[in-house]
Amino acid sequence: MIFVCGSVEDTLELGKRIGNAVRPGTLISLRGSLGAGKTVLTKGIALALGIGESIVSPTFTLVQEYDGRMPLHHLDLYRISGCEEFEMMGGEEMLYADGVTVIEWSEKIGEMLPDSTVFIEITILPDQSRQVEIKGLEI
Ligand SMILES: Nc1ncnc2c1ncn2[C@@H]1O[C@H](COP(=O)(O)OP(=O)(O)OP(=O)(O)O)[C@@H](O)[C@H]1O
Ligand SMILES: [Mg+2]
């Protein structure tokens, strides 16, 4: 499914729809260039899970955990080199956590992602709106 979000609010709304469709154990791979809107979309997912805390980008901490209707694990792998470093940090078990796991820059560990992974790709269109393609989840 492909959506076009013309504003931050649209992207938050789409994130909420995604957050309402996930199940415990859902793993979401978010792809898209710097500033594409991956963290904005994650904020929408968090809102749907009843998470009131503000979502901060976990670029320096690797993972941020939030308590909502189900736990949300938000990973940002921008700073890791690849699978080996991720495994050394004990990352693999994070892929099979309870609750929902959302991974920014998941292409760094592409080979480790299970077949059941939901793939979401955000593309910045020439008019600055965001195209969001969702594979593996009905919303
Ligand atoms: N339609 C839109 N949807 C989402 N963000 C938008 C949109 N239009 C403009 N923006 C802006 O784009 C930026 C998206 O930032 P965000 O932190 O979500 O990106 P990101 O993909 O997580 O980047 P990074 O790879 O650095 O983590 C924000 O500054 C936001 O205001
Ligand atoms: Mg981000």
Side-chain angles (χ1 to χ4, degrees):
M1 279 176 294
I2 295 184
F3 301 85
V4 175
C5 299
S7 65
V8 170
E9 290 69 32
D10 285 354
T11 304
L12 283 172
E13 280 305 316
L14 184 60
K16 283 194 213 167
R17 286 179 61 183
I18 295 165
N20 284 323
V22 294
R23 305 247 173 283
T26 301
L27 176 67
I28 299 178
S29 154
L30 278 184
R31 298 184 186 189
S33 56
L34 277 172
K38 300 180 292 297
T39 300
V40 171
L41 197 73
T42 305
K43 284 180 186 170
I45 295 172
L47 284 171
L49 296 177
I51 294 162
E53 262 176 280
S54 58
I55 302 297
V56 293
S57 199
T59 306
F60 296 98
T61 51
L62 187 70
V63 61
Q64 293 279 351
E65 317 263 353
Y66 303 92
D67 267 329
R69 208 152 39 74
M70 55 184 118
L72 171 66
H73 312 278
H74 182 201
L75 281 76
D76 187 327
L77 305 184
Y78 186 66
R79 281 169 198 281
I80 74 154
S81 55
C83 294
E84 204 179 323
E85 188 180 346
F86 187 68
E87 279 176 12
M88 284 192 346
M89 297 172 88
E92 195 169 8
E93 68 187 56
M94 294 183 203
L95 303 180
Y96 303 94
D98 283 352
V100 186
T101 303
V102 175
I103 312 184
E104 297 191 33
W105 296 102
S106 57
E107 46 271 57
K108 296 278 181 90
I109 57 155
E111 304 125 66
M112 292 174 73
L113 296 173
D115 291 342
S116 56
T117 303
V118 174
F119 287 97
I120 301 180
E121 174 134 27
I122 308 177
T123 311
I124 305 180
L125 298 178
D127 68 356
Q128 296 306 307
S129 59
R130 270 51 174 179
Q131 176 185 288
V132 182
E133 182 171 15
I134 303 175
K135 288 184 190 152
L137 183 74
E138 294 296 323
I139 68 164

